[in-house]
Amino acid sequence: MVDWRLFEPLFNYARKKSLWIVSFCTGCGGIEMPPLMTSRYDLERFGMIPDPSPRQYDLFLITGYVTPKTLKRIIITYEMAPDPKYVLAHGSCPLNGGIYWDAYNAIKHLDKYIPVDVVIAGCMPRPEAVMDGIQKIMEMIENGTADGWKRYKENYEWYKKNQDELFGEGWREREARRWIPWLVDKKKEE
Ligand code: SF4
């Protein structure tokens, strides 16, 4: 019987070198992504590519402020991806609300709802700062300290409680009913 944990350093090295980024730009910081991905800063040289599917990405970039409406999509997108997955938040908004700290519809602490591995300071963070954050998360992936996906499982009740307090219990079902009624009806028939 092979003990796959022995290969974990090798897997982590491979993960670090082949990060797929979900293309879900949540706030103003998303405008920094085109120069990052194209010839000026060329993130692809680090083995990173944008990925249109939430079911296959490794790195979730939260590129700015988050509203409750967006947060629902963020949580669902986060939960859809297979483990291990990593979260990198741009700017002060996801961390403490930033300039929207007193807005009724800005989420002040994203890390109460999903785990955040690295936060990039700045409003908005320059591409160099984003590159710095990406280097940081790559180091953490390699040494196994980017462990938000494990914390989400271990503390799921706590995250779920915070999510339910904000949206009310059963919000996932309500969302599913809203977006894919045919699927819910089909499930009832089975
Ligand atoms: S930190 Fe600044 S740039 Fe980023 S989302 Fe907030 S206001 Fe926009």
Side-chain angles (χ1 to χ4, degrees):
M1 186 77 175
V2 181
D3 186 350
W4 290 107
R5 283 172 303 181
L6 295 174
F7 293 91
E8 205 54 26
L10 182 63
F11 293 157
N12 281 342
Y13 183 76
R15 283 170 188 143
K16 162 190 153 174
K17 291 284 187 182
S18 55
L19 289 170
W20 290 20
I21 310 170
V22 72
S23 318
F24 181 1
C25 294
T26 50
C28 354
I31 202 70
E32 299 294 350
M33 291 315 292
L36 272 165
M37 295 309 306
T38 49
S39 53
R40 179 85 193 263
Y41 293 95
D42 190 17
L43 267 192
E44 282 191 19
R45 68 195 144 118
F46 299 121
M48 306 178 86
I49 53 164
D51 174 27
S53 168
R55 290 171 299 166
Q56 289 146 6
Y57 74 90
D58 310 289
L59 182 60
F60 196 178
L61 297 181
I62 309 291
T63 55
Y65 57 81
V66 174
T67 64
K69 211 173 178 180
T70 320
L71 181 61
K72 285 182 188 168
R73 309 288 172 272
I74 288 177
I75 295 167
I76 292 168
T77 306
Y78 182 72
E79 291 182 351
M80 263 191 204
D83 294 331
K85 51 197 169 190
Y86 314 102
V87 177
L88 194 146
H90 284 215
S92 47
C93 285
L95 190 66
N96 57 18
I99 59 170
Y100 304 114
W101 65 273
D102 61 348
Y104 71 94
N105 61 347
I107 297 297
K108 314 292 186 294
H109 298 285
L110 176 66
D111 53 356
K112 274 174 69 183
Y113 307 99
I114 61 164
V116 177
D117 294 292
V118 170
V119 177
I120 303 168
C123 173
M124 74 184 32
R126 290 277 307 141
E128 292 84 355
V130 180
M131 301 256 288
D132 198 45
I134 285 171
Q135 294 289 328
K136 172 84 186 154
I137 207 159
M138 286 168 86
E139 270 169 36
M140 290 170 69
I141 292 168
E142 187 169 12
N143 64 28
T145 53
D147 58 356
W149 59 281
K150 284 187 199 157
R151 283 185 278 120
Y152 193 68
K153 280 186 186 164
E154 287 161 9
N155 304 298
Y156 183 67
E157 288 309 315
W158 183 77
Y159 285 109
K160 187 171 178 303
K161 179 174 77 60
N162 295 336
Q163 295 165 5
D164 287 352
E165 268 171 19
L166 189 65
F167 302 126
E169 278 187 33
W171 66 272
R172 279 183 179 73
E173 291 74 15
R174 286 197 296 279
E175 281 298 301
R177 221 166 270 131
R178 189 169 155 214
W179 292 103
I180 38 176
W182 59 272
L183 183 64
V184 176
D185 291 344
K186 201 164 170 236
K187 278 210 159 221
K188 271 189 210 152
E189 284 166 18
E190 287 167 4

